[in-house]
């Protein structure tokens, strides 16, 4: 596998070098296909991003930033970007293929998860965020659709389309990402930083344990109101005290008091369930 991947990693390639298979997903900018590199037989996923659609949305710079950031990342819990190329109409991002699909689908089919599985998943995401934050990168679009499953059941963070490089001590003010996962400081306009990823981890862990969103409402205005007050729908009493404390420490209004990746990985609930993950 290593050798076959060397035939595509960082190489200047063209669409004709690949045999395109089935569609595996669609996001707001890209359509993703499973593909096989003809010469080496390497399996990969190719995200196609239409240039005209990017232009109409004034988002041409987004792909360049996504490629710049994603191509610097090498960690087993982060989907690898092997290479990219373009033609007149599309950009093509050639990535590691995640055969297990989205974590969202797994939760819908098999959830809510037991505490052991929820803690394991939460720890895997925290470890990937620890790597990302150590590179001064904020993901900014963490949600169950952007966490994918490898063949061995381990998780991988994907979709760096909204990610930014942000030196420590600096803040961002623009609002982006899916409302249900957005942190209070990213809604209030007071500036935000890497702690927003930890809030999103809190939302996802709540979903693992309940199958539901913590601030759910059909009305977006109500969702916003609930987020800025951290008005969480109470966790069922069947959820343990330690799990509850962990989720509440991630869904902490004040970013300074919110768990960091390091703290999340040392949390008693995480340690109880995954000593070696
Ligand atoms: P968004 O709407 O989140 O901005 P996007 O247009 O940037 O999405 P992605 O999130 O990268 O696109 O991909 C869309 C979907 O395609 C994912 O949610 C996932 O279901 C699927 N997908 C993406 N990359 C892969 C991959 N490498 N292997 C398998 N499936 C993938
Ligand atoms: Mg996505």
């Amino acid at each position: 596998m290593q050798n076959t991947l060397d035939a595509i990693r960082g190489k200047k390639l063209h669409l004709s070098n690949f045999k395109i298979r089935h569609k595996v997903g669609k996001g707001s900018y890209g359509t993703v296909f499973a593909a096989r590199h003809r010469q080496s037989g390497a399996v990969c996923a190719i995200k196609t991003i239409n240039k005209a659609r990017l232009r109409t949305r004034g988002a041409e710079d987004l792909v360049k930033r996504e490629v710049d950031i994603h191509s610097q990342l090498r960690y087993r819990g982060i989907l690898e970007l092997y290479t990219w190329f373009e033609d007149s109409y599309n950009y093509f991002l050639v990535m590691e293929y995640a055969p297990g699909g989205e974590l969202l689908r797994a939760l819908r089919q098999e959830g809510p998860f037991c505490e052991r599985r929820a803690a394991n998943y939460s720890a895997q995401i925290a470890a990937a965020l620890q790597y990302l934050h150590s590179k001064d990168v904020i993901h900014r679009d963490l949600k169950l659709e952007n966490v994918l499953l490898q063949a061995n059941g381990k998780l991988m963070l994907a979709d760096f389309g909204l990610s930014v490089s942000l030196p420590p001590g600096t803040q961002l003010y623009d609002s982006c990402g899916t409302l249900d996962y957005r942190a209070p400081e990213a809604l209030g306009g007071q500036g935000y930083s890497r702690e927003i990823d930890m809030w999103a981890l809190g939302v996802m862990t709540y979903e693992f344990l309940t199958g539901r969103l913590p601030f759910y409402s059909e009305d977006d205005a109500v969702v916003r109101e609930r987020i800025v007050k951290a008005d969480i729908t109470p966790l069922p009493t069947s959820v343990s005290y330690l799990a509850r404390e962990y989720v509440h420490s991630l869904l902490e209004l004040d970013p300074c008091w919110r768990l960091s990746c390091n703290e999340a990985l040392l949390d008693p609930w995480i340690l109880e369930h995954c000593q070696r993950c």
Side-chain angles (χ1 to χ4, degrees):
M1 189 62 177
Q2 193 64 29
N3 292 341
T4 56
L5 289 178
D6 286 345
I8 52 178
R9 270 197 186 112
K11 299 287 187 303
K12 274 260 153 270
L13 297 172
H14 183 267
L15 198 55
S16 63
N17 296 124
F18 295 91
K19 190 168 190 165
I20 303 294
R21 304 273 171 145
H22 55 285
K23 182 167 133 183
V24 291
K26 188 163 170 48
S28 43
Y29 289 104
T31 306
V32 184
F33 298 91
R36 191 181 279 280
H37 182 235
R38 288 180 193 276
Q39 287 81 0
S40 67
V43 172
C44 57
I46 300 189
K47 175 155 140 180
T48 64
I49 304 171
N50 183 268
K51 290 183 174 179
R53 194 170 322 136
L54 279 178
R55 266 195 300 276
T56 51
R57 296 187 188 186
E60 288 113 313
D61 292 345
L62 283 186
V63 178
K64 293 263 153 55
R65 196 172 65 194
E66 176 170 357
V67 167
D68 276 354
I69 291 179
H70 199 168
S71 55
Q72 290 169 34
L73 306 173
R74 275 292 181 94
Y75 180 76
R76 63 189 146 75
I78 290 180
L79 189 87
E80 185 178 341
L81 175 67
Y82 296 134
T83 188
W84 70 283
F85 51 89
E86 61 186 307
D87 64 17
S88 312
Y89 306 103
N90 294 291
Y91 291 102
F92 301 93
L93 274 54
V94 183
M95 307 171 290
E96 184 174 1
Y97 175 54
E102 295 177 6
L103 189 50
L104 178 67
R105 196 184 60 185
L107 184 71
R108 286 200 176 138
Q109 288 175 354
E110 303 157 38
F113 300 143
C114 68
E115 292 204 14
R116 187 162 184 273
R117 187 169 176 191
N120 265 280
Y121 281 173
S122 199
Q124 286 181 51
I125 299 171
L129 286 177
Q130 189 179 44
Y131 169 82
L132 208 62
H133 291 176
S134 76
K135 297 238 163 222
D136 293 333
V137 173
I138 312 181
H139 188 286
R140 294 209 302 177
D141 198 16
L142 280 178
K143 54 183 174 181
L144 296 179
E145 296 94 312
N146 287 339
V147 181
L148 304 180
L149 283 150
Q150 302 176 28
N152 63 7
K154 296 272 182 197
L155 304 184
M156 282 191 291
L157 298 192
D159 192 359
F160 294 86
L162 293 179
S163 299
V164 282
S165 278
L166 190 70
T170 46
Q171 295 221 304
L172 290 164
Y173 295 88
D174 59 323
S175 175
C176 68
T178 305
L179 177 62
D180 293 311
Y181 295 85
R182 224 178 283 164
E185 66 271 23
L187 284 172
Q190 71 262 43
Y192 64 87
S193 185
R194 60 192 65 196
E195 297 84 8
I196 63 161
D197 286 343
M198 302 313 292
W199 177 276
L201 176 61
V203 174
M204 288 191 285
T205 309
Y206 183 103
E207 287 186 279
F208 299 156
L209 292 164
T210 65
R212 295 192 305 273
L213 286 158
F215 307 106
Y216 179 77
S217 166
E218 284 187 3
D219 182 347
D220 281 357
V222 174
V223 175
R224 280 168 186 275
E225 233 169 72
R226 295 191 61 189
I227 292 173
V228 296
K229 291 192 219 146
D231 172 22
I232 304 165
T233 306
L235 282 153
T237 48
S238 53
V239 172
S240 70
Y241 172 77
L242 285 182
R244 233 174 259 273
E245 285 290 296
Y246 175 77
V247 170
H248 283 271
S249 308
L250 288 168
L251 298 177
E252 158 63 51
L253 268 187
D254 185 343
C256 301
W257 286 99
R258 199 172 298 152
L259 290 186
S260 66
C261 308
N262 300 354
E263 288 165 340
L265 289 167
L266 292 172
D267 184 88
W269 182 61
I270 295 294
L271 292 178
E272 181 188 330
H273 290 287
C274 36
Q275 287 294 351
R276 292 192 302 119
C277 60

